Amino acid sequence: MDAAISVENLKKSFRVYQEKPATLKEKLLRIRKDQYKEIPIVNDVSFTIKEGEMVGLIGQNGSGKSTLLKLLTQIIYPASGKIQINGRVSSLLELGAGFHPDFTGIENIYMNASIFGLSKKEISKRVDQIIEFSELEEFIHNPVRTYSSGMYMRLAFATAINVEPDVLLVDEVLAVGDASFQRKCLNRIKELKNKNKTIVLVTHDHGVVERLCDRAIWLQAGKIREDGPPTQVVNEYLKYLAEQDASRETAGAAEEQIVETAELESIEVEENTLDSALRWGSKDIEITGVRTLNRKSSQESLFASVDSMVIEIDYIVRKKLSDTPIFGVAIHTNDRIRVYGTNTQIDEYELDTTIKKGTLQFSIPALQLTEGDYVLDVAVHDTSGKMFDYHTECKAFRVISRVRDVGIYQMPHEWNTIKR
Amino acid sequence: MFVNMLEVYKYREMLKNLVIRDLRTRYKESVLGFLWTLLNPILMLIIYTIAFKTIMRMDMPNYSVFLFSGLLPWTFLQTVVSTNTSIIVNNSGLVKKIYFPHEILPLSATLAGAINYLLCLIALFIAMLYFHIDFTLSLIYFPLILLIEIIFIQGLSLLFSSINVYFRDVSHIVSILFMAWFYLTPIFYPLSMVPEKYRHLYELNPMTKMEQSYQAIFYYGQAPEIKGILISCAYALASFLLGSFVFNKLKKKYAEEL
C-alpha cells in the first residue's frame, strides 16, 4: 500500500509580537527591529499515513493539532520540512464555507461543494445524496437564512462529507446536530473508511478515536509524544492528563506524603501532624501509613478502571490487647457515597496477633470503578467497637476509564442478541 | 504561474459560482434590483453632462456619448479594483479555513465587474441611438480592448489585494489614487484639449490609450490606433506579471496574517 500522506521534519512557528505593527505608517516609522518571540507550534514532526488508514490526532489545546491539519490542507505553509499528499484532499475545518444566507439550500450546496474543488457534473451527481443525508428535503428550496442553526450545520456537514475526497481531514466538527445525526455522521465516516479513504481526525472524543481509528498520534507541544494503536495511545494520554490534574490539585498532598514517611521512621512521636478532625481513636494500635500500590507494587494514585490495587496499612501495636483487633477499609466517591466497605472480621481473616509492627495488605484484583475521584478510609478497632485509630480520607486516588459508562461500579457484563 | 492558472481552471466551478453570487447579491433586497446597474451610470452621465457641457461649455458634438464611452470602462476599473483591494481581507473566513487558489477571489470580482460593464453598454447603445451615432464595424475591436482591460485590472487587483493583507492602509491609498487618476485621464475631455507640452506625460498613464481606444470605436466610429492597443497591451501584461509575482510571494502567509 502506498503512503497517502507523508510528512518529514515538519516545522512551523508563529511569531508573537510584543506589539504588532499593523499599518504602513507604523511600519515605516518603526526604525528599531520588531520585537517578537518565535513560538514553535509544530516542531520537527515526521510520520507516514498509509492509504486507507484512519488516524486520530489527540493532544491538549495548543499542542499543534489544528496547525498540523492546516499545514496538511495547505492553508498555511511550513517553515521547513516536506509534506507529500497523494490524491484529492478535502478538509472539514470549517463547515458551510461560502454559504450565503439569501441563497436556497440547493444553491448553497453547489457553492460550497465548488469551493471544495468539485465540477458542476460531480456536484450534480451527488446533490440528491447530499439532500437526503441532510434530511432537509422539504426546506431545500428555501433560503438558508430561514434555517435553524442545526439545519444549517446539517446541510454544511452533508455537503462536506459527500465530497468524497481521497484524503479527508476532519477537525472537531463531528459534534453537529442531534444524537441521531451525529451517529449518521460517524457512520458516513466509517463508510468512507471502508472505501479505503485516508482520514485524519482531530478530536477530543477519545471514544471515537478508539472505536474508529486504526492508529492514534498524540501531539504534545508540537512534537509527537506517542504514535501507535489507539487504545494504547489514548490510555497513555488520559493517564498523562490525570497525572497533570493531580499534580496541579494536590501540590499539598505531596507534602503530606513526606510527613507520613517521616512518621514511619520516628514512631515514638506521639504528636500527629495529620488533620485530627479526620482522625480519632485511642491509638492503642496506631496506623502509621497507608499506601495505594499498583500492580508493580509502587505507590500510585492513578489507576485505570481495569487495574488491580493493593492497599497497604502500616501499623504499630502500642499496648497489649486482650482480643484480636479488627482492621477495616472503605472506599468512597468524592461526594462521600460509600462504594464498598469491609473489615477483617466480616471477611473472617485471621490476623497474626504476634506481629507488633507490620503491614496489612488489602488486594483488589480489579477495581471496576467508573472514572472519577475516590477516597479511602481505614480504621482499626476491637470487637466491642472501641476505636484505636480511624483515618477518614487518608488517601485519595483517581480512576480513569476508557469507556464512558456512568454510575460507580463497572459491572462485568456482555451483550448478546438471540434470534427468536 | 502556469501551475497557478491550471489550479484556477480546476476550480472554475467555484469561480463561476462566486461570479454569480457577486452579481446576484449586488442589488439584493433593493426594489429596482438589476435596474440599478443601468441607472447608476445613467445618473452619473446626466450629472457629468450638466457639469461639463452646460456649465463648463465643453464644445463637442454629442458630448454625452463621448463621455459615456469613456466613463463606463473607467467605472469598471475603479469599482473592481477598489472592491478587490480588500477582497482577501473580507473573505478571511474562507482563506483561513479552506484550501483553494486565492487568485479566484479577485478574479471573480473582476469577471463580475466585466459582466456588469457589458450590461451597462445597453445604456450606451441607447444613447448612441438617441444621438444618431452610427454603429460601425470598428466595434469588433471591443472584445480585444475589453480583454486587455480585464488583464490590466486583474493585475492591479492581485497587487493591491495582497499588499492590503499586510497593510490595511492600501485601501485608503487606492481610493485617493483613483480620484487623482480620474482627472488625469482623458475621460471627460479629449486628449487634444491637453496643452501640447504636457501631452507626452499622458503616455505614462496606462489608461490613456485604453480610453482613447474605447472612444475611437464608440464615439468616433474608427478603428483604434494599433500603437495604442500595443501600449495598452504592454501595460496590461506588466500589471498582470507584477501583480501575480507579488501575490504569489505574499499568499503563503495570508492565513496567518488575517
Side-chain angles (χ1 to χ4, degrees):
Chain A
M1 260 202 278
D2 295 329
I5 303 173
S6 71
V7 169
E8 266 175 61
N9 304 98
L10 201 63
K11 272 186 191 169
K12 178 79 194 171
S13 50
F14 287 149
R15 283 176 181 182
V16 177
Y17 289 87
Q18 294 333 52
E19 203 182 318
K20 194 176 175 182
T23 65
L24 191 59
K25 183 190 85 188
E26 282 171 316
K27 191 88 184 172
L28 290 176
L29 292 180
R30 188 171 287 243
I31 300 147
R32 66 194 165 88
K33 237 185 149 197
D34 290 333
Q35 293 193 333
Y36 59 82
K37 276 192 291 190
E38 197 108 340
I39 311 257
I41 303 291
V42 173
N43 195 357
D44 203 11
V45 166
S46 308
F47 58 84
T48 315
I49 296 173
K50 283 186 300 224
E51 200 190 311
E53 206 172 17
M54 181 160 173
V55 177
L57 274 182
I58 56 173
Q60 283 162 295
N61 291 330
S63 58
K65 305 180 304 268
S66 294
T67 306
L68 182 58
L69 221 53
K70 278 186 183 170
L71 285 165
L72 292 177
T73 318
Q74 293 179 60
I75 295 170
I76 54 175
Y77 295 76
S80 67
K82 258 200 300 196
I83 302 174
Q84 172 104 35
I85 299 183
N86 297 321
R88 176 157 69 201
V89 182
S90 169
S91 61
L92 303 188
L93 297 174
E94 169 108 323
L95 289 175
F99 268 29
H100 195 289
D102 286 336
F103 287 8
T104 67
I106 199 155
E107 284 166 336
N108 273 311
I109 291 176
Y110 275 91
M111 179 77 229
N112 192 220
S114 68
I115 292 178
F116 289 116
L118 262 63
S119 70
K120 180 154 189 167
K121 238 179 25 201
E122 287 172 302
I123 302 171
S124 298
K125 222 169 57 191
R126 292 181 171 91
V127 77
D128 290 334
Q129 198 184 341
I130 293 172
I131 296 169
E132 199 199 313
F133 191 90
S134 68
E135 301 167 10
L136 290 170
E137 287 90 346
E138 294 165 58
F139 311 102
I140 206 69
H141 292 291
N142 296 354
V144 165
R145 72 180 134 83
T146 63
Y147 285 20
S148 73
S149 57
M151 286 158 74
Y152 184 94
M153 292 312 273
R154 247 151 61 196
L155 183 69
F157 190 84
T159 313
I161 199 77
N162 282 295
V163 167
E164 297 227 353
D166 303 307
V167 178
L168 181 69
L169 308 170
V170 189
D171 189 5
E172 306 268 23
V173 287
L174 290 173
V176 168
D178 53 28
S180 94
F181 190 75
Q182 277 192 28
R183 256 196 310 281
K184 212 165 152 181
C185 296
L186 285 177
N187 283 338
R188 179 74 192 144
I189 288 185
K190 261 187 241 172
E191 250 175 66
L192 287 175
K193 190 182 152 193
N194 291 339
K195 283 185 185 165
N196 209 30
K197 310 284 186 192
T198 310
I199 302 168
V200 180
L201 185 75
V202 167
T203 182
H204 286 292
D205 188 344
H206 308 118
V208 169
V209 175
E210 283 181 88
R211 267 178 287 135
L212 293 180
C213 295
D214 307 309
R215 179 177 156 196
I217 295 176
W218 168 14
L219 279 181
Q220 198 191 6
K223 284 180 191 272
I224 295 180
R225 168 93 180 241
E226 241 359 282
D227 180 351
T231 318
Q232 187 189 319
V233 177
V234 167
N235 270 346
E236 289 289 316
Y237 174 60
L238 286 180
K239 209 164 162 180
Y240 168 80
L241 281 189
E243 266 167 20
Q244 264 212 331
D245 279 1
S247 68
R248 217 174 300 139
E249 276 170 23
T250 52
E255 286 172 30
E256 203 176 306
Q257 197 75 256
I258 295 163
V259 172
E260 271 181 45
T261 350
E263 227 176 282
L264 270 172
E265 275 147 29
S266 55
I267 44 168
E268 297 307 319
V269 180
E270 195 68 16
E271 203 64 49
N272 205 309
T273 45
L274 289 174
D275 194 342
S276 56
L278 295 171
R279 187 175 185 183
W280 66 88
S282 66
K283 301 261 173 81
D284 291 346
I285 297 176
E286 191 183 343
I287 291 168
T288 51
V290 179
R291 289 176 301 275
T292 48
L293 307 181
N294 62 16
R295 87 191 109 89
K296 287 174 196 150
S297 300
S298 52
Q299 280 219 47
E300 180 70 88
S301 58
L302 181 72
F303 295 84
S305 59
V306 293
D307 278 355
S308 63
M309 179 197 264
V310 175
I311 300 167
E312 283 194 341
I313 305 163
D314 299 326
Y315 65 95
I316 294 168
V317 181
R318 295 197 190 280
K319 274 190 189 154
K320 191 151 167 55
L321 300 162
S322 49
D323 66 70
T324 318
I326 298 162
F327 282 88
V329 293
I331 293 169
H332 293 85
T333 62
N334 224 8
D335 39 5
R336 294 303 295 176
I337 295 168
R338 182 175 291 171
V339 177
Y340 189 66
T342 189
N343 62 31
T344 49
Q345 190 185 33
I346 295 168
D347 287 344
E348 293 172 0
Y349 173 72
E350 297 273 339
L351 196 76
D352 186 347
T353 46
T354 58
I355 297 169
K356 297 295 171 214
K357 181 184 173 192
T359 301
L360 189 64
Q361 285 187 327
F362 181 76
S363 304
I364 307 165
L367 277 171
Q368 289 178 338
L369 295 174
T370 57
E371 191 161 298
D373 291 313
Y374 295 89
V375 288
L376 189 67
D377 291 2
V378 296
V380 54
H381 53 86
D382 71 7
T383 42
S384 67
K386 187 193 176 209
M387 192 57 68
F388 297 132
D389 198 358
Y390 195 112
H391 260 248
T392 45
E393 298 179 19
C394 62
K395 205 80 205 163
F397 61 95
R398 174 166 293 180
V399 174
I400 52 172
S401 174
R402 292 199 290 110
V403 283
R404 295 274 163 275
D405 45 8
V406 293
I408 300 168
Y409 171 55
Q410 268 184 354
M411 287 182 195
H413 58 271
E414 60 180 316
W415 297 84
N416 286 308
T417 318
I418 297 157
K419 200 178 173 190
R420 298 277 187 211
Chain B
M1 193 183 299
F2 180 70
V3 179
N4 285 339
M5 286 180 179
L6 207 71
E7 193 72 7
V8 169
Y9 180 72
K10 262 181 28 199
Y11 278 79
R12 62 194 177 281
E13 182 66 22
M14 177 183 179
L15 178 63
K16 193 188 88 187
N17 281 322
L18 281 175
V19 171
I20 293 171
R21 188 175 81 170
D22 188 312
L23 291 173
R24 273 187 54 181
T25 53
R26 190 165 295 195
Y27 302 108
K28 67 169 183 216
E29 308 278 310
S30 57
V31 180
L32 290 179
F34 167 71
L35 279 181
W36 281 112
T37 308
L38 291 182
L39 274 178
N40 247 335
I42 288 174
L43 291 175
M44 265 175 77
L45 179 77
I46 293 169
I47 295 163
Y48 282 124
T49 308
I50 292 168
F52 295 116
K53 179 140 183 155
T54 314
I55 300 170
M56 300 188 54
R57 307 288 165 90
M58 186 70 78
D59 187 23
M60 263 181 107
N62 300 323
Y63 174 72
S64 304
V65 175
F66 171 80
L67 178 60
F68 217 5
S69 60
L71 195 58
L72 288 180
W74 176 264
T75 316
F76 171 36
L77 169 86
Q78 181 171 2
T79 47
V80 168
V81 175
S82 308
T83 317
N84 272 340
T85 300
S86 37
I87 202 159
I88 301 285
V89 174
N90 289 344
N91 285 285
S92 59
L94 279 184
V95 173
K96 273 159 80 175
K97 294 286 185 181
I98 291 191
Y99 170 80
F100 64 94
H102 296 143
E103 291 86 347
I104 287 220
L105 288 174
L107 187 58
S108 72
T110 307
L111 293 183
I115 291 169
N116 211 43
Y117 172 35
L118 287 175
L119 293 172
C120 290
L121 284 181
I122 297 169
L124 174 63
F125 289 151
I126 292 169
M128 285 167 74
L129 284 173
Y130 180 80
F131 290 103
H132 304 290
I133 289 179
D134 294 334
F135 291 81
T136 59
L137 256 183
S138 53
L139 285 177
I140 54 164
Y141 284 98
F142 176 72
L144 175 68
I145 306 168
L146 179 63
L147 180 69
I148 295 171
E149 193 183 1
I150 288 176
I151 293 171
F152 180 67
I153 290 175
Q154 180 63 10
L156 289 187
S157 299
L158 289 172
L159 180 70
F160 292 141
S161 64
S162 54
I163 300 175
N164 193 48
V165 172
Y166 299 87
F167 307 109
R168 306 286 158 93
D169 311 50
V170 173
S171 56
H172 301 286
I173 296 170
V174 165
S175 60
I176 295 169
L177 186 113
F178 267 109
M179 201 169 65
W181 197 359
F182 174 70
Y183 288 101
L184 294 175
T185 306
I187 296 167
F188 58 88
Y189 53 89
L191 189 59
S192 52
M193 279 182 72
V194 178
E196 194 90 44
K197 55 181 175 176
Y198 298 124
R199 223 172 277 173
H200 66 278
L201 287 174
Y202 272 73
E203 304 266 321
L204 295 174
N205 179 350
M207 281 307 282
T208 303
K209 292 293 175 196
M210 199 99 74
E211 287 291 349
Q212 283 186 314
S213 303
Y214 279 120
Q215 287 155 354
I217 61 170
F218 289 119
Y219 179 72
Y220 296 107
Q222 295 164 351
E225 274 183 84
I226 295 303
K227 190 183 150 212
I229 294 272
L230 288 177
I231 291 173
S232 301
C233 227
Y235 275 122
L237 281 179
S239 146
F240 187 73
L241 290 176
L242 176 69
S244 301
F245 176 76
V246 173
F247 195 89
N248 266 329
K249 278 268 172 221
L250 297 181
K251 73 174 173 189
K252 295 195 170 184
K253 291 253 180 182
Y254 285 169
E256 291 163 54
E257 284 291 330
L258 287 169

